[in-house]
Amino acid sequence: MKIRPLHDRIVVRRMEEERTSAGGIVIPDSATEKPIQGEVIAVGNGKIMDNGDTRNLDVKVGDKVLFGKYSGTEVKLDGEDFLVMREEDVMGVIEG
């Protein structure tokens, strides 16, 4: 993939949600919600502050992140769906 997000934007690939419940029931596609977890694929250079300095981003490529259900803008690149969002839309990094 050849994309470089600008400033404080990041590119995220949504992670697939489980399609089977804890009891073993298969959940159809029409009943599943959009995943709110994803993997960071690309990051920008950083946020430009009021004084002109650049603050590096806290997330990095490969991080698993948690974001809002309607965060970001969906884009399709090379036949694959991605989200482009600002770093401030990320609620947290999933560790472990």
Side-chain angles (χ1 to χ4, degrees):
M1 178 183 69
K2 300 285 185 187
I3 185 169
R4 182 177 53 88
L6 299 177
H7 307 296
D8 64 335
R9 289 183 174 84
I10 62 173
V11 178
V12 176
R13 176 187 295 129
R14 286 187 194 263
M15 298 174 80
E16 292 296 322
E17 290 288 319
E18 290 293 322
R19 300 209 187 274
T20 307
S21 70
I25 299 172
V26 176
I27 302 168
D29 287 340
S30 60
T32 58
E33 294 186 9
K34 288 184 177 181
I36 58 171
Q37 296 179 19
E39 179 183 359
V40 177
I41 302 302
V43 297
N45 293 332
K47 183 174 178 120
I48 297 177
M49 308 304 285
D50 292 335
N51 62 5
D53 292 340
T54 302
R55 180 186 62 81
N56 291 334
L57 301 181
D58 291 331
V59 297
K60 59 186 180 300
V61 173
D63 280 350
K64 305 279 191 267
V65 294
L66 184 68
F67 51 86
K69 189 183 293 189
Y70 302 107
S71 296
T73 302
E74 294 183 359
V75 294
K76 184 170 261 192
L77 300 167
D78 297 332
E80 196 171 353
D81 292 326
F82 296 96
L83 285 172
V84 177
M85 65 180 73
R86 293 189 177 274
E87 183 190 35
E88 63 191 28
D89 292 335
V90 174
M91 292 186 265
V93 176
I94 302 170
E95 297 178 348

